[in-house]
Amino acid sequence: MIIDVHGHYTTAPAALGAWRDLQVAALKDPSKKPDPKSLKISDDELRESIETNQLKLMKERGSDLTVFSPRASFMAHHIGDFETSSTWAAICNELCYRVSQLFPDNFIGAAMLPQSPGVDPKTCVAELEKCVKEYGFVGLNLNPDPSGGHWTSPPLTDRHWYPIYEKMVEYDLPAMIHVSTSCNSCFHTTGAHYLNADTTAFMQCLQGDLFKDFPTLKFLIPHGGGAVPYHWGRFRGLAQEMKKPLLQDHLLNNIFFDTCVYHQPGIDLLTKVIPVDNILFASEMIGAVRGIDPETGHYYDDTKRYVAATPNLTEEQRFKVFEGNARRVFPRMDAALKAKGL
């Protein structure tokens, strides 16, 4: 199988965005707060939004299953308060669940959390439990910066985050460390904020000893790990100066990277520097970079081509990247596939 571990519902029907606009506008006038029940999206609308977009490209590119979560830039945890985020997360998660029910062979869910700046992360636990127990979700997206580019939260190694980690361990869920929209004009959302956060999350984990407390905790750092593979020597050297263990012992039992890197040299570097057991196939299709590369004539986010073409992987290693590692890092997904005889 070709398992894409990084997909977002970026093509949701327009009614979702329109409802969100009403919710945000009502922050100034609570009397205009929209009822979640007023959002009406039919199964036919969901089917059309998927069949003409993600599913079409999956068939064209040859991928089988996508770990599917709400649109990352729509999370916007910096907007409103916890109630705002709680209502919005519930709506977005339910839509992804409905997609997974309409296309059970092609999509399986990962949860958006109702995070809010300055709010105890334990308030996210109820939504996470619902997504696991009622929706069968197999992972979650964890935003290390709910402030939207101002970084007001403690580092990921702080006990502040432990209520979420405890549930992750209990349910054997990996978290993709994924920020949302930047409201800081210094940081372009997808060109800077996302990649900054990937690098920052890795460095926070390097500085701390989180995995001594949670030896089975698993983080997936997207977008190829931001600057991490390119500066692997810097991180090895910093770990050495901090008297930390070697990175393969300190972090690589718990941290993994995806292949959302949009050119061949980038994938070649990733697969040369990072151990193959720590690389999971992903494309984030119809996401941050949607155009066609004039140098190749193919979509930038058709990452399967790069993984297939790199000389740095044997066929056995390619299997790990495309399927084997995903099954290991997402054990609930592996169990769901095995239940289907796959």
Side-chain angles (χ1 to χ4, degrees):
M1 295 183 69
I2 307 295
I3 301 174
D4 186 335
V5 299
H6 190 168
H8 298 300
Y9 198 1
T10 56
T11 61
L16 178 65
W19 189 94
R20 174 63 165 176
D21 289 342
L22 294 175
Q23 186 193 36
V24 173
L27 294 173
K28 296 181 179 179
D29 184 356
S31 67
K32 296 182 179 180
K33 184 168 66 175
D35 186 337
K37 294 179 181 178
S38 68
L39 175 60
K40 306 293 185 183
I41 298 177
S42 69
D43 284 354
D44 285 343
E45 289 176 294
L46 294 180
R47 286 192 190 94
E48 182 181 8
S49 73
I50 293 294
E51 288 175 343
T52 59
N53 292 294
Q54 284 89 349
L55 192 58
K56 175 177 178 287
L57 292 178
M58 287 170 67
K59 290 178 178 178
E60 289 177 358
R61 299 177 187 182
S63 63
D64 300 300
L65 179 68
T66 296
V67 178
F68 204 54
S69 63
R71 184 175 180 177
S73 62
F74 262 24
M75 296 191 299
H77 293 125
H78 61 279
I79 293 177
D81 56 14
F82 172 74
E83 183 185 1
T84 308
S85 289
S86 181
T87 302
W88 180 230
I91 288 172
C92 292
N93 284 329
E94 183 185 23
L95 285 181
C96 287
Y97 168 65
R98 289 174 62 191
V99 168
S100 73
Q101 294 300 105
L102 292 170
F103 303 96
D105 294 333
N106 305 108
F107 298 93
I108 195 164
M112 166 184 168
L113 299 180
Q115 296 176 246
S116 188
V119 177
D120 191 330
K122 71 181 180 182
T123 57
C124 297
V125 168
E127 180 68 19
L128 180 58
E129 287 189 322
K130 181 187 72 176
C131 287
V132 173
K133 295 178 179 179
E134 298 181 22
Y135 296 166
F137 283 11
V138 299
L140 63 137
N141 293 335
L142 179 63
N143 184 352
D145 175 34
S147 71
H150 294 285
W151 291 93
T152 57
S153 293
L156 290 169
T157 52
D158 191 272
R159 298 189 68 87
H160 169 84
W161 301 98
Y162 277 28
I164 293 176
Y165 299 160
E166 288 164 0
K167 285 297 171 183
M168 287 172 59
V169 169
E170 179 182 347
Y171 293 121
D172 215 354
L173 299 167
M176 178 172 284
I177 307 299
H178 205 309
V179 288
S180 185
T181 303
S182 170
C183 61
N184 184 336
S185 60
C186 294
F187 303 120
H188 182 275
T189 294
T190 55
H193 187 42
Y194 282 12
L195 304 181
N196 293 346
D198 303 334
T199 310
T200 298
F202 184 84
M203 189 64 208
Q204 288 178 357
C205 292
L206 189 156
Q207 289 176 272
D209 294 295
L210 174 64
F211 303 121
K212 288 184 178 179
D213 284 352
F214 296 98
T216 62
L217 195 67
K218 293 189 286 288
F219 288 163
L220 179 60
I221 299 184
H223 320 116
V228 173
Y230 190 73
H231 289 285
W232 194 241
R234 175 180 291 253
F235 293 108
R236 287 175 53 232
L238 288 170
Q240 185 173 314
E241 290 179 14
M242 294 177 187
K243 310 300 181 186
K244 299 294 185 182
L246 296 175
L247 289 183
Q248 61 259 38
D249 300 319
H250 184 42
L251 299 180
L252 293 188
N253 291 317
N254 307 88
I255 290 182
F256 305 86
F257 304 85
D258 76 12
T259 63
C260 291
V261 179
Y262 296 144
H263 65 152
Q264 189 67 53
I267 291 293
D268 291 345
L269 175 76
L270 178 69
T271 52
K272 186 174 183 179
V273 172
I274 301 299
V276 68
D277 287 344
N278 294 80
I279 303 172
L280 281 67
F281 173 69
S283 69
E284 199 177 11
M285 65 167 62
I286 317 181
V289 181
R290 305 187 183 194
I292 292 176
D293 185 345
E295 296 181 4
T296 66
H298 300 292
Y299 285 98
Y300 286 101
D301 63 8
D302 187 359
T303 56
K304 181 171 177 281
R305 290 179 176 273
Y306 312 139
V307 176
T310 186
N312 298 329
L313 298 174
T314 65
E315 288 311 302
E316 180 182 357
Q317 291 172 328
R318 252 180 275 274
F319 164 78
K320 287 185 175 183
V321 172
F322 281 135
E323 177 181 355
N325 293 342
R327 285 181 177 265
R328 178 167 51 88
V329 175
F330 289 82
R332 299 184 78 94
M333 176 178 65
D334 183 48
L337 290 172
K338 287 177 177 174
K340 295 180 179 182
L342 297 172

Short mmCIF file of all heavy atoms in Angstrom, two decimals, residues 253-286:
data_model
loop_
_atom_site.label_atom_id
_atom_site.label_comp_id
_atom_site.label_asym_id
_atom_site.label_seq_id
_atom_site.Cartn_x
_atom_site.Cartn_y
_atom_site.Cartn_z
N ASN A 253 13.91 7.38 18.50
CA ASN A 253 12.92 6.35 18.83
C ASN A 253 11.52 6.93 18.91
O ASN A 253 10.54 6.18 18.96
CB ASN A 253 13.26 5.67 20.17
CG ASN A 253 14.52 4.84 20.09
OD1 ASN A 253 14.73 4.11 19.13
ND2 ASN A 253 15.36 4.93 21.11
N ASN A 254 11.43 8.25 18.91
CA ASN A 254 10.15 8.92 19.16
C ASN A 254 9.77 9.97 18.13
O ASN A 254 8.60 10.37 18.07
CB ASN A 254 10.20 9.61 20.54
CG ASN A 254 10.62 8.68 21.65
OD1 ASN A 254 11.81 8.52 21.92
ND2 ASN A 254 9.66 8.05 22.30
N ILE A 255 10.72 10.44 17.34
CA ILE A 255 10.45 11.51 16.38
C ILE A 255 10.62 10.99 14.96
O ILE A 255 11.61 10.32 14.64
CB ILE A 255 11.37 12.72 16.64
CG1 ILE A 255 10.96 13.42 17.94
CG2 ILE A 255 11.31 13.71 15.48
CD1 ILE A 255 11.77 14.65 18.28
N PHE A 256 9.65 11.36 14.11
CA PHE A 256 9.64 10.91 12.73
C PHE A 256 9.39 12.11 11.81
O PHE A 256 8.92 13.15 12.26
CB PHE A 256 8.55 9.84 12.55
CG PHE A 256 8.70 8.69 13.50
CD1 PHE A 256 8.15 8.75 14.79
CD2 PHE A 256 9.42 7.56 13.15
CE1 PHE A 256 8.32 7.71 15.69
CE2 PHE A 256 9.59 6.51 14.04
CZ PHE A 256 9.04 6.59 15.31
N PHE A 257 9.72 11.94 10.54
CA PHE A 257 9.62 13.02 9.57
C PHE A 257 8.81 12.56 8.37
O PHE A 257 8.88 11.38 7.98
CB PHE A 257 11.02 13.45 9.09
CG PHE A 257 11.96 13.84 10.20
CD1 PHE A 257 12.70 12.89 10.89
CD2 PHE A 257 12.09 15.17 10.58
CE1 PHE A 257 13.56 13.24 11.91
CE2 PHE A 257 12.95 15.53 11.61
CZ PHE A 257 13.69 14.56 12.27
N ASP A 258 8.06 13.47 7.77
CA ASP A 258 7.33 13.08 6.56
C ASP A 258 8.05 13.59 5.31
O ASP A 258 9.10 14.24 5.40
CB ASP A 258 5.86 13.52 6.62
CG ASP A 258 5.63 15.00 6.36
OD1 ASP A 258 6.54 15.71 5.91
OD2 ASP A 258 4.51 15.47 6.62
N THR A 259 7.48 13.25 4.15
CA THR A 259 8.14 13.58 2.87
C THR A 259 7.47 14.75 2.15
O THR A 259 7.54 14.83 0.93
CB THR A 259 8.16 12.35 1.93
OG1 THR A 259 6.81 11.97 1.61
CG2 THR A 259 8.90 11.19 2.56
N CYS A 260 6.86 15.66 2.90
CA CYS A 260 6.27 16.85 2.27
C CYS A 260 7.38 17.85 1.94
O CYS A 260 7.47 18.94 2.51
CB CYS A 260 5.21 17.45 3.16
SG CYS A 260 3.75 16.42 3.32
N VAL A 261 8.23 17.43 1.03
CA VAL A 261 9.35 18.23 0.53
C VAL A 261 9.19 18.25 -0.99
O VAL A 261 9.14 17.20 -1.61
CB VAL A 261 10.70 17.59 0.92
CG1 VAL A 261 11.86 18.41 0.38
CG2 VAL A 261 10.80 17.41 2.42
N TYR A 262 9.13 19.45 -1.57
CA TYR A 262 8.57 19.55 -2.91
C TYR A 262 9.56 19.70 -4.04
O TYR A 262 9.31 20.40 -5.02
CB TYR A 262 7.53 20.68 -2.92
CG TYR A 262 6.34 20.37 -2.01
CD1 TYR A 262 5.71 21.36 -1.28
CD2 TYR A 262 5.88 19.06 -1.86
CE1 TYR A 262 4.63 21.07 -0.45
CE2 TYR A 262 4.81 18.75 -1.03
CZ TYR A 262 4.20 19.76 -0.34
OH TYR A 262 3.13 19.47 0.49
N HIS A 263 10.69 19.02 -3.92
CA HIS A 263 11.58 18.88 -5.07
C HIS A 263 12.49 17.68 -4.84
O HIS A 263 12.68 17.23 -3.69
CB HIS A 263 12.38 20.16 -5.34
CG HIS A 263 13.36 20.52 -4.27
ND1 HIS A 263 14.51 21.23 -4.51
CD2 HIS A 263 13.38 20.28 -2.93
CE1 HIS A 263 15.17 21.41 -3.38
NE2 HIS A 263 14.51 20.84 -2.41
N GLN A 264 13.06 17.16 -5.93
CA GLN A 264 13.85 15.93 -5.83
C GLN A 264 15.10 16.10 -4.95
O GLN A 264 15.38 15.22 -4.12
CB GLN A 264 14.27 15.46 -7.23
CG GLN A 264 14.91 14.08 -7.24
CD GLN A 264 13.92 12.98 -6.87
OE1 GLN A 264 12.85 12.89 -7.45
NE2 GLN A 264 14.26 12.17 -5.89
N PRO A 265 15.87 17.18 -5.07
CA PRO A 265 17.05 17.31 -4.20
C PRO A 265 16.70 17.29 -2.72
O PRO A 265 17.48 16.80 -1.90
CB PRO A 265 17.66 18.66 -4.63
CG PRO A 265 17.22 18.84 -6.04
CD PRO A 265 15.84 18.27 -6.08
N GLY A 266 15.53 17.84 -2.36
CA GLY A 266 15.12 17.83 -0.96
C GLY A 266 14.86 16.43 -0.44
O GLY A 266 15.27 16.07 0.67
N ILE A 267 14.18 15.61 -1.24
CA ILE A 267 13.92 14.22 -0.85
C ILE A 267 15.23 13.44 -0.83
O ILE A 267 15.46 12.58 0.04
CB ILE A 267 12.90 13.57 -1.80
CG1 ILE A 267 11.52 14.19 -1.60
CG2 ILE A 267 12.85 12.06 -1.58
CD1 ILE A 267 10.88 13.90 -0.25
N ASP A 268 16.10 13.72 -1.78
CA ASP A 268 17.40 13.04 -1.80
C ASP A 268 18.17 13.33 -0.51
O ASP A 268 18.79 12.44 0.08
CB ASP A 268 18.21 13.47 -3.02
CG ASP A 268 17.63 12.96 -4.33
OD1 ASP A 268 16.77 12.06 -4.30
OD2 ASP A 268 18.03 13.48 -5.39
N LEU A 269 18.15 14.59 -0.07
CA LEU A 269 18.84 14.95 1.17
C LEU A 269 18.19 14.26 2.37
O LEU A 269 18.87 13.68 3.22
CB LEU A 269 18.81 16.47 1.37
CG LEU A 269 19.39 16.95 2.70
CD1 LEU A 269 20.91 16.89 2.67
CD2 LEU A 269 18.92 18.35 3.05
N LEU A 270 16.85 14.33 2.44
CA LEU A 270 16.13 13.72 3.56
C LEU A 270 16.47 12.25 3.69
O LEU A 270 16.77 11.76 4.78
CB LEU A 270 14.62 13.90 3.35
CG LEU A 270 13.70 13.28 4.40
CD1 LEU A 270 13.81 14.02 5.73
CD2 LEU A 270 12.25 13.28 3.90
N THR A 271 16.44 11.54 2.57
CA THR A 271 16.66 10.08 2.61
C THR A 271 18.13 9.72 2.79
O THR A 271 18.45 8.59 3.16
CB THR A 271 16.12 9.42 1.34
OG1 THR A 271 16.65 10.09 0.17
CG2 THR A 271 14.60 9.51 1.29
N LYS A 272 19.01 10.67 2.56
CA LYS A 272 20.44 10.41 2.78
C LYS A 272 20.84 10.67 4.23
O LYS A 272 21.70 9.98 4.78
CB LYS A 272 21.28 11.30 1.84
CG LYS A 272 22.78 11.00 1.89
CD LYS A 272 23.52 11.82 0.84
CE LYS A 272 25.01 11.47 0.83
NZ LYS A 272 25.75 12.25 -0.21
N VAL A 273 20.18 11.65 4.87
CA VAL A 273 20.60 12.10 6.19
C VAL A 273 19.82 11.39 7.30
O VAL A 273 20.41 10.96 8.31
CB VAL A 273 20.42 13.62 6.32
CG1 VAL A 273 20.66 14.09 7.75
CG2 VAL A 273 21.37 14.34 5.36
N ILE A 274 18.51 11.28 7.14
CA ILE A 274 17.65 10.74 8.20
C ILE A 274 17.52 9.23 8.02
O ILE A 274 17.29 8.74 6.91
CB ILE A 274 16.26 11.40 8.15
CG1 ILE A 274 16.39 12.92 8.34
CG2 ILE A 274 15.34 10.81 9.21
CD1 ILE A 274 17.00 13.35 9.65
N PRO A 275 17.64 8.44 9.09
CA PRO A 275 17.48 6.98 8.98
C PRO A 275 16.13 6.63 8.36
O PRO A 275 15.10 7.25 8.68
CB PRO A 275 17.57 6.50 10.43
CG PRO A 275 18.37 7.56 11.13
CD PRO A 275 17.99 8.85 10.48
N VAL A 276 16.13 5.64 7.51
CA VAL A 276 14.92 5.31 6.75
C VAL A 276 13.76 4.93 7.67
O VAL A 276 12.59 5.18 7.35
CB VAL A 276 15.21 4.19 5.73
CG1 VAL A 276 15.50 2.87 6.44
CG2 VAL A 276 14.06 4.04 4.74
N ASP A 277 14.03 4.37 8.84
CA ASP A 277 12.96 3.98 9.75
C ASP A 277 12.22 5.18 10.33
O ASP A 277 11.16 5.01 10.95
CB ASP A 277 13.53 3.14 10.90
CG ASP A 277 13.91 1.74 10.46
OD1 ASP A 277 13.48 1.31 9.37
OD2 ASP A 277 14.65 1.07 11.21
N ASN A 278 12.75 6.37 10.13
CA ASN A 278 12.14 7.59 10.67
C ASN A 278 11.48 8.44 9.60
O ASN A 278 11.12 9.60 9.86
CB ASN A 278 13.19 8.42 11.41
CG ASN A 278 13.71 7.73 12.64
OD1 ASN A 278 14.56 6.85 12.57
ND2 ASN A 278 13.19 8.11 13.80
N ILE A 279 11.28 7.90 8.42
CA ILE A 279 10.69 8.66 7.31
C ILE A 279 9.37 8.03 6.89
O ILE A 279 9.31 6.83 6.61
CB ILE A 279 11.64 8.72 6.10
CG1 ILE A 279 12.99 9.33 6.49
CG2 ILE A 279 11.01 9.53 4.97
CD1 ILE A 279 14.04 9.25 5.39
N LEU A 280 8.30 8.83 6.85
CA LEU A 280 6.98 8.36 6.44
C LEU A 280 6.53 9.14 5.21
O LEU A 280 6.66 10.37 5.16
CB LEU A 280 5.95 8.55 7.55
CG LEU A 280 5.94 7.53 8.69
CD1 LEU A 280 7.20 7.59 9.54
CD2 LEU A 280 4.70 7.75 9.57
N PHE A 281 5.95 8.41 4.26
CA PHE A 281 5.47 9.06 3.04
C PHE A 281 4.31 9.99 3.34
O PHE A 281 3.39 9.67 4.09
CB PHE A 281 5.03 8.03 2.00
CG PHE A 281 4.38 8.66 0.80
CD1 PHE A 281 5.13 9.41 -0.09
CD2 PHE A 281 3.01 8.55 0.59
CE1 PHE A 281 4.54 10.03 -1.18
CE2 PHE A 281 2.40 9.16 -0.50
CZ PHE A 281 3.17 9.90 -1.39
N ALA A 282 4.33 11.17 2.72
CA ALA A 282 3.24 12.14 2.82
C ALA A 282 3.34 13.13 1.68
O ALA A 282 4.42 13.30 1.08
CB ALA A 282 3.31 12.87 4.16
N SER A 283 2.23 13.77 1.37
CA SER A 283 2.24 14.76 0.28
C SER A 283 1.56 16.07 0.66
O SER A 283 1.86 17.10 0.07
CB SER A 283 1.53 14.18 -0.95
OG SER A 283 0.13 14.05 -0.72
N GLU A 284 0.64 16.05 1.63
CA GLU A 284 -0.16 17.24 1.94
C GLU A 284 -0.76 17.81 0.66
O GLU A 284 -0.75 19.02 0.43
CB GLU A 284 0.67 18.29 2.69
CG GLU A 284 -0.18 19.31 3.44
CD GLU A 284 0.64 20.31 4.24
OE1 GLU A 284 1.87 20.38 4.06
OE2 GLU A 284 0.03 21.03 5.06
N MET A 285 -1.30 16.91 -0.18
CA MET A 285 -1.79 17.34 -1.49
C MET A 285 -2.92 18.36 -1.38
O MET A 285 -3.69 18.37 -0.43
CB MET A 285 -2.25 16.14 -2.30
CG MET A 285 -3.45 15.41 -1.75
SD MET A 285 -4.17 14.24 -2.92
CE MET A 285 -2.85 13.10 -3.19
N ILE A 286 -2.95 19.23 -2.36
CA ILE A 286 -3.87 20.37 -2.41
C ILE A 286 -3.71 21.17 -1.12
O ILE A 286 -4.67 21.54 -0.45
CB ILE A 286 -5.33 19.93 -2.64
CG1 ILE A 286 -5.42 18.84 -3.71
CG2 ILE A 286 -6.18 21.13 -3.07
CD1 ILE A 286 -6.83 18.37 -4.01
#
